[in-house]
């Protein structure tokens, strides 16, 4: 009996599952034993300090999830109703929805075929050909007359966006940069942590991310005013800690001490988890490298990916059949997201020269990348893909 249960061919291989590092029980128990279970507590402070140090930034504000981090980042960056925010069409939907929470409108851009990240050249071209700078120093979309307030580069599957040229052009036109680093904690761009490269960065600790608090997020920035305002907005914009005095419409976005306790424990193993994910990507590259029909999403020069999700690209006509084949082999794999600008609620928004993202969406497949995977699990994934191609 036991041999059937432990037989890898009968167990489903997960794409990316949470793995406890060791001290989660201990720290969470401390919260329960002391009664510090809610949105104030020493683990919240410790989690914020640890993440700030790790990210190489001055300030970190813990919040309930990555989406609320993006929402607050947009608000503190000064994004207002009637502004426009530049976003990739190839992304998980959260950053685009967050733009809409502020009343602003997204404008969709293509991806770089090498990294799947925001097409920086497209943005440069858009600024030069479709926009005009006005006397107030801001840049406006000629077609809509709206101000371009911010851009959200998303570091897709762990691969950093080419930030230097993006930073240069956005600084020139006073466009704020909000890094969506929810998939890329620990990834490096020119030796610096992705998420700590621009005006403000957002992290997620959802269950499938590189580390998890069950649900959670964090804002990271070097801008003290922005950090203070984000904290203020995350606690119902309470002006006075004693009297019920509030000076703007805030939110209840604070992370609880229990979640933060889990985060402190997960931070202790983050670097090991990144090493493991990188080793998994390497394993796939070595074992599947001989199949000419399979390509890999690889690191761009001067970057190091946390390889949150290993990603292969196959011919368009093979994407769905291969996904089905993997599913039948009890392997959890998934296609790259549906392009956001094609979804019903966003199809009327402006999109600019989208080309490579269609190819990425029609050919990309995320394959199992959990740190819990054993050598035989990875071998099973490799064999299944080899079998598919005969
Ligand atoms: C996971 C994710 C988020 C936000 O995550 P939450 O589930 O809200 O913590 C935002 N953007 C991207 C690209 C993501 O993958």
């Amino acid at each position: 009996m036991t041999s059937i249960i432990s037989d890898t061919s009968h167990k489903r291989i997960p794409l990316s599952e949470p793995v406890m590092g060791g001290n989660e029980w201990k720290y969470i128990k401390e919260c329960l034993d002391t009664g510090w279970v809610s949105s104030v507590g020493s683990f919240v402070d410790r989690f914020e300090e640890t993440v700030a140090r790790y990210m190489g930034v001055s300030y970190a504000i813990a919040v309930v999830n990555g989406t609320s981090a993006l929402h607050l980042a947009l608000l503190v960056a000064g994004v207002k109703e009637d502004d426009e925010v530049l976003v990739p069409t190839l992304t998980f939907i959260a950053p685009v929805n967050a733009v809409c929470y502020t009343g602003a409108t997204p404008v969709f851009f293509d991806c770089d075929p090498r990294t799947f990240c925001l097409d920086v050249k497209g943005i440069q071209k858009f600024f030069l050909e479709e926009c005009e700078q006005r006397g107030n120093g801001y840049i406006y979309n000629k077609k809509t007359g709206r101000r371009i307030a911010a851009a959200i580069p998303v570091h897709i599957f762990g691969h950093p966006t080419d930030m230097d040229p993006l930073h240069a052009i956005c600084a020139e036109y006073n466009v704020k940069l909000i890094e969506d680093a929810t998939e890329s904690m620990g990834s490096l761009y020119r030796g610096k942590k992705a998420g700590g490269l621009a005006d403000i960065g957002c992290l997620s600790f959802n269950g499938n991310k590189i580390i998890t608090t069950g649900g959670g997020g964090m804002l990271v920035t070097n801008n003290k005013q922005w950090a203070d305002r984000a904290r203020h907005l995350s606690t119902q914009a309470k002006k006075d800690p004693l009297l019920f005095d509030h000076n703007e419409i805030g939110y209840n976005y604070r992370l609880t001490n229990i979640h933060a306790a889990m985060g402190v424990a997960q931070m202790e193993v983050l670097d090991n988890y990144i090493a493991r994910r990188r080793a998994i990507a390497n394993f796939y590259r070595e074992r599947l490298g001989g199949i000419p029909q399979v390509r890999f999403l690889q690191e761009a020069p001067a970057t190091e990916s946390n390889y949150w999700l290993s990603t292969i690209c196959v011919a368009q006509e093979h994407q769905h059949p291969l996904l089905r084949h993997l599913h039948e082999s009890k392997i959890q794999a998934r296609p790259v997201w549906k392009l956001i600008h094609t979804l019903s609620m966003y199809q009327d928004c402006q999109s600019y020269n989208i080309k490579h993202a269609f190819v990425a969406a029609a050919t990309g497949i995320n394959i199992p990348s959990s740190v819990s995977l054993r050598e035989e699990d990875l071998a099973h994934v490799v064999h299944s893909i080899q079998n598919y191609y005969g």
Side-chain angles (χ1 to χ4, degrees):
M1 286 298 278
T2 43
S3 69
I4 292 173
I5 293 165
S6 61
D7 184 350
T8 54
S9 63
H10 290 267
K11 192 180 145 251
R12 200 169 135 82
I13 298 181
L15 184 72
S16 180
E17 66 177 2
V19 177
M20 298 308 110
N23 283 326
E24 288 82 359
W25 264 120
K26 186 177 154 209
Y27 297 162
I28 290 173
K29 185 170 182 303
E30 205 176 307
C31 299
L32 303 185
D33 287 344
T34 58
W36 290 98
V37 293
S38 198
S39 59
V40 179
S42 62
F43 282 113
V44 174
D45 299 337
R46 247 172 91 184
F47 190 31
E48 289 179 341
E49 283 158 20
T50 311
V51 170
R53 208 175 319 119
Y54 182 84
M55 296 293 293
V57 300
S58 309
Y59 309 101
I61 299 103
V63 289
V64 286
N65 52 45
T67 308
S68 59
L70 286 157
H71 182 198
L72 290 185
L74 287 155
L75 293 175
V76 301
V79 173
K80 302 224 154 50
E81 217 178 311
D82 298 329
D83 281 339
E84 288 183 347
V85 177
L86 313 183
V87 295
T89 185
L90 186 80
T91 174
F92 179 58
I93 199 168
V96 184
N97 286 344
V99 169
C100 296
Y101 302 162
T102 68
T105 306
V107 180
F108 292 97
F109 284 80
D110 202 11
C111 71
D112 181 325
R114 291 172 316 159
T115 60
F116 285 7
C117 293
L118 195 57
D119 168 33
V120 175
K121 287 200 175 70
I123 291 199
Q124 289 167 329
K125 205 156 167 281
F126 176 76
F127 281 156
L128 293 175
E129 293 173 5
E130 308 285 330
C131 300
E132 61 184 3
Q133 199 167 18
R134 296 200 187 147
N136 61 7
Y138 290 104
I139 189 166
Y140 289 78
N141 186 340
K142 284 193 276 196
K143 197 171 272 167
T144 60
R146 295 197 191 108
R147 180 178 76 135
I148 314 287
I152 309 182
V154 182
H155 307 308
I156 304 284
F157 306 140
H159 297 271
T161 309
D162 193 8
M163 290 297 288
D164 278 355
L166 184 62
H167 204 266
I169 190 142
C170 286
E172 187 175 339
Y173 296 123
N174 212 352
V175 172
K176 301 296 184 283
L177 270 179
I178 295 157
E179 285 182 83
D180 182 332
T182 53
E183 302 182 355
S184 64
M185 193 172 190
S187 297
L188 299 175
Y189 177 82
R190 300 193 187 286
K192 289 173 78 177
K193 296 269 163 52
L197 302 164
D199 299 307
I200 193 161
C202 301
L203 303 172
S204 166
F205 310 113
N206 185 38
N208 65 351
K209 298 292 156 80
I210 194 128
I211 57 168
T212 184
T213 58
M218 192 93 75
L219 286 126
V220 291
T221 182
N222 287 312
N223 185 321
K224 182 166 192 313
Q225 270 171 338
W226 287 16
D228 289 346
R229 177 127 194 276
R231 196 176 290 285
H232 184 63
L233 286 172
S234 74
T235 49
Q236 303 283 27
K238 200 190 299 159
K239 210 178 94 189
D240 187 293
L242 181 64
L243 311 169
F244 286 94
D245 194 6
H246 307 259
N247 59 359
E248 59 183 316
I249 295 173
Y251 305 86
N252 180 10
Y253 280 172
R254 290 291 286 157
L255 192 72
T256 73
N257 204 44
I258 296 178
H259 290 91
M262 193 167 166
V264 171
Q266 290 269 294
M267 282 303 288
E268 294 169 356
V269 292
L270 172 57
D271 281 336
N272 291 344
Y273 284 8
I274 293 170
R276 182 71 192 134
R277 298 234 184 201
R278 290 180 59 79
I280 289 170
N282 233 347
F283 184 95
Y284 286 136
R285 262 198 310 271
E286 277 172 12
R287 299 296 181 89
L288 293 169
I291 305 176
Q293 296 96 323
V294 174
R295 286 194 312 106
F296 291 89
L297 195 60
Q298 299 211 39
E299 288 166 331
T303 70
E304 216 171 274
S305 174
N306 68 5
Y307 278 102
W308 170 56
L309 291 184
S310 279
T311 308
I312 58 171
C313 293
V314 299
Q316 191 164 335
E317 62 272 25
H318 287 295
Q319 192 199 39
H320 290 179
L322 178 55
L323 279 166
R324 242 169 256 130
H325 173 80
L326 290 168
H327 184 72
E328 279 156 18
S329 314
K330 294 201 168 65
I331 294 167
Q332 193 190 6
R334 63 180 203 196
V336 165
W337 309 283
K338 221 173 158 181
L339 301 184
I340 308 295
H341 81 285
T342 67
L343 302 179
S344 60
M345 58 287 197
Y346 290 117
Q347 65 193 5
D348 294 334
C349 294
Q350 189 176 2
S351 54
Y352 185 73
N353 284 349
I354 292 168
K355 195 173 73 185
H356 298 296
F358 283 105
V359 179
T363 63
I365 295 178
N366 299 133
I367 54 177
S369 309
S370 292
V371 296
S372 56
L373 297 181
R374 300 158 305 171
E375 210 83 331
E376 54 260 47
D377 299 323
L378 298 175
H380 178 57
V381 176
V382 165
H383 289 149
S384 178
I385 295 172
Q386 283 169 338
N387 280 345
Y388 177 82
Y389 283 105

